[in-house]
Amino acid sequence: MKIANKTVSAERLVRDALEKAKHFADYNIFTFLNEEGAIARAREIDARIKKGEKVGRLAGVPYAMKENFLSPDGETTASAHILQGFTSPITATSIAKLEEEGAIMIGRTNMDAFAHGSSTENSYFGPTLNSHDKTRVAGGSSGGSAVAVALDIVEFATGTDTGGSIRQPASFNGIYGLKPTYGCISRYGVVAMASSTDCIGFFTKTPDDMDLLMSIASGQDSKDLTTLPDYYNNEEKNPNPQKIGIIKDFDNDSVDSEIRNALASKIDLLKTKGHEIIELEMPALKYALAAYYIIVPAEIASNLSRYDGIRYGFRSDDSKDLDTLYNNTRNEGFMPENKRRIMIGNFVLSSGFYDAYFLKAAKARTLIIKEYKNAFKKCDYILTPVAPNPAFKLGEKTGDPVAMYLEDVMSVPLNLAGVPGLTIPAGKTKNGLPIGLQLIGPRRSDKSLIKFSKELM
Ligand code: GLN
């Protein structure tokens, strides 16, 4: 990535990025452009470079921030109506770390409201368009961030991945996207979706950029007690060659044939490089999607209960008493998909149905965790598709929530188990749409996973 120095100024880098952002305005990538703030920041960095002072490892690097990260620059709305007008007094830990190293946020990116979705069509601001085909979706929920990197507007972008929201849009736009091990990066200052599966991660154009960002953003944080003790920068790298698992149980017919071919050719590439391919049986994965769409809505229903029209953002006007104020604000402020999940979540947690749904899903989750543990006794990494298909048409799945949920069938198991997954670009379809594959590793293998991904280039 291009870093500001004596020959290229931070201001130049930032102005170029802002210009490109405006040039691609029709893609609906940004919900806010941080023009004044970014230029002021760049000038400070340039002044320090001029004086010969030390600058950070990301000095002057323009980046895009998913709209659910809290920072005082622009409103944090998670692309939801109910948060319109909310400016955060605090900065997310991950953002503070990047900015301490000199990274400059040039804009906030569009997303499915509250990160509920797989296409960025559930945004209050309308959909973001795919970088390779404007009639298709960007993927989601971090669609804006993925397209900002794919169109080369910024060097990197932040994202959140609760069930695939970094990996799937990365694959739809032909770039790298990492969902780290759960707890690797602090969630402090990021709008919560499902606290037990939410992960903070990045979109980049290269594995080396990903490694640099991870080495900066990872680490324990007293403000997020689920963060793991620092391991990223100390991790031992596995010796080559490696054993790569492929999953027998995935129903191949439901995966697009061009994606299957891309997987087969990467498997051949790995073999020619001396790695061993082994077949895995992971039958519990077939319960992952059902378990995810019980556990995650349950957590969503709890996390979204705080949006009441009193404390944050939007408030409905014509409310005679407190109850109607809550009702009207939540009714007008949430998107249909947000409401669907609040209803499912409260249903599966209700006393009559808790055992039948939530408890069963929690048990299935334990099976899935065990299955990954066993798999990683037999192999070092697992290689699978990210999603069953390349980017689909805008509007194709908006009328059918279950079809949209099925998009996540290969991405959600990792979130339930807390293991890291990296989307790697793996060529294009005949129509020129990017294909992505996901490389999965055991918990805390993030660094070696990123390094190993170079074997697939
Ligand atoms: N598509 C998944 C969902 O809608 C994942 C979303 C995410 O990772 N934020 O729940």
Side-chain angles (χ1 to χ4, degrees):
M1 81 174 101
K2 266 192 232 141
I3 314 238
N5 53 33
K6 289 229 158 78
T7 48
V8 51
S9 69
E11 184 167 348
R12 182 73 270 141
L13 295 177
V14 163
R15 283 192 186 276
D16 284 352
L18 286 166
E19 233 162 75
K20 281 191 229 158
K22 287 181 195 161
H23 175 76
F24 289 117
D26 51 335
Y27 285 82
N28 198 23
I29 299 165
F30 293 98
T31 59
F32 163 74
L33 278 185
N34 187 27
E35 288 192 73
E36 276 177 34
I39 291 169
R41 190 82 220 289
R43 287 185 176 153
E44 276 168 34
I45 290 175
D46 287 335
R48 279 168 52 196
I49 293 174
K50 222 173 171 180
K51 281 194 228 146
E53 286 176 16
K54 200 173 170 285
V55 287
R57 286 176 282 172
L58 299 173
V61 175
Y63 78 97
M65 181 168 85
K66 191 178 179 181
E67 241 231 331
N68 55 351
F69 284 72
L70 275 68
S71 98
D73 298 315
E75 290 178 5
T76 300
T77 74
S79 297
H81 184 34
I82 205 162
L83 273 171
Q84 299 303 308
F86 172 65
T87 304
S88 167
I90 62 152
T91 301
T93 300
S94 50
I95 297 302
K97 284 182 164 185
L98 297 170
E99 298 198 344
E100 263 162 39
E101 293 286 344
I104 300 177
M105 190 269 278
I106 65 130
R108 290 176 169 272
T109 60
N110 196 20
M111 57 184 277
D112 286 300
F114 287 110
H116 304 171
S118 314
S119 67
T120 312
E121 291 171 291
N122 293 334
S123 166
Y124 178 62
F125 301 106
T128 295
L129 313 185
N130 185 280
S131 58
H132 286 62
D133 179 346
K134 285 188 187 173
T135 67
R136 291 178 186 267
V137 300
S141 63
S142 321
S145 281
V147 176
V149 173
L151 290 178
D152 234 350
I153 297 170
V154 285
E155 297 278 5
F156 73 91
T158 68
T160 57
D161 191 312
T162 301
S165 281
I166 291 177
R167 287 160 290 147
Q168 186 251 28
S171 103
F172 281 12
N173 292 283
I175 54 174
Y176 289 84
L178 177 71
K179 178 206 105 63
T181 299
Y182 180 78
C184 180
I185 299 180
S186 171
R187 290 179 291 118
Y188 176 75
V190 178
V191 177
M193 178 174 164
S195 310
S196 80
T197 70
D198 285 349
C199 289
I200 312 303
F202 302 105
F203 295 91
T204 64
K205 286 169 270 191
T206 68
D208 286 338
D209 287 354
M210 190 67 82
D211 177 46
L212 175 62
L213 297 172
M214 287 298 293
S215 66
I216 291 168
S218 60
Q220 201 158 26
D221 179 12
S222 59
K223 292 179 183 142
D224 173 1
L225 295 178
T226 62
T227 44
L228 296 165
D230 301 355
Y231 67 85
Y232 185 84
N233 291 304
N234 307 320
E235 191 202 314
E236 287 283 314
K237 286 188 200 73
N238 294 324
N240 266 333
Q242 305 285 340
K243 280 195 185 131
I244 313 301
I246 51 168
I247 304 178
K248 245 164 93 181
D249 319 68
F250 270 148
D251 176 14
N252 270 341
D253 292 341
S254 63
V255 179
D256 181 278
S257 63
E258 291 187 89
I259 295 181
R260 275 176 2 223
N261 292 343
L263 179 62
S265 76
K266 290 294 179 194
I267 289 171
D268 286 344
L269 176 68
L270 288 171
K271 283 185 190 159
T272 60
K273 293 191 174 181
H275 303 292
E276 190 186 336
I277 306 295
I278 62 160
E279 282 199 345
L280 297 168
E281 280 181 51
M282 299 184 74
L285 292 192
K286 64 174 171 290
Y287 304 120
L289 193 69
Y292 174 90
Y293 275 101
I294 291 173
I295 293 168
V296 165
E299 296 186 26
I300 287 171
S302 312
N303 278 327
L304 294 189
S305 64
R306 72 188 72 164
Y307 302 106
D308 54 7
I310 307 290
R311 286 173 283 190
Y312 312 90
F314 165 77
R315 174 182 302 169
S316 173
D317 301 327
D318 61 345
S319 306
K320 290 171 225 62
D321 53 50
L322 195 58
D323 279 343
T324 38
L325 183 140
Y326 291 154
N327 282 337
N328 292 350
T329 300
R330 288 170 69 84
N331 186 31
E332 292 163 36
F334 285 125
M335 303 292 282
E337 184 58 29
N338 306 142
K339 293 181 196 171
R340 189 174 294 121
R341 295 187 187 211
I342 291 170
M343 286 192 286
I344 295 172
N346 285 316
F347 173 78
V348 299
L349 289 175
S350 60
S351 59
F353 298 99
Y354 180 88
D355 287 356
Y357 291 98
F358 190 80
L359 196 63
K360 247 199 199 136
K363 287 179 179 167
R365 182 181 197 169
T366 303
L367 282 181
I368 291 162
I369 293 170
K370 280 190 189 147
E371 205 152 87
Y372 276 108
K373 269 197 187 140
N374 287 335
F376 288 122
K377 284 180 193 150
K378 297 180 200 133
C379 65
D380 301 289
Y381 304 111
I382 300 173
L383 188 64
T384 74
V386 179
N389 45 260
F392 47 92
K393 290 270 184 191
L394 286 158
E396 193 180 317
K397 301 189 190 213
T398 39
D400 184 351
V402 175
M404 194 69 93
Y405 296 168
L406 282 167
E407 265 303 292
D408 307 330
V409 66
M410 288 154 177
S411 55
V412 299
L414 286 75
N415 298 75
L416 292 176
V419 298
L422 174 67
T423 291
I424 54 154
K428 285 190 187 155
T429 66
K430 285 194 281 307
N431 298 335
L433 298 175
I435 296 176
L437 297 176
Q438 93 186 306
L439 193 61
I440 307 165
R443 287 169 66 85
R444 303 179 198 230
S445 68
D446 311 57
K447 195 177 181 76
S448 32
L449 185 73
I450 294 168
K451 189 171 176 231
F452 185 74
S453 73
K454 294 182 187 176
E455 291 289 288
L456 289 149
M457 279 175 141

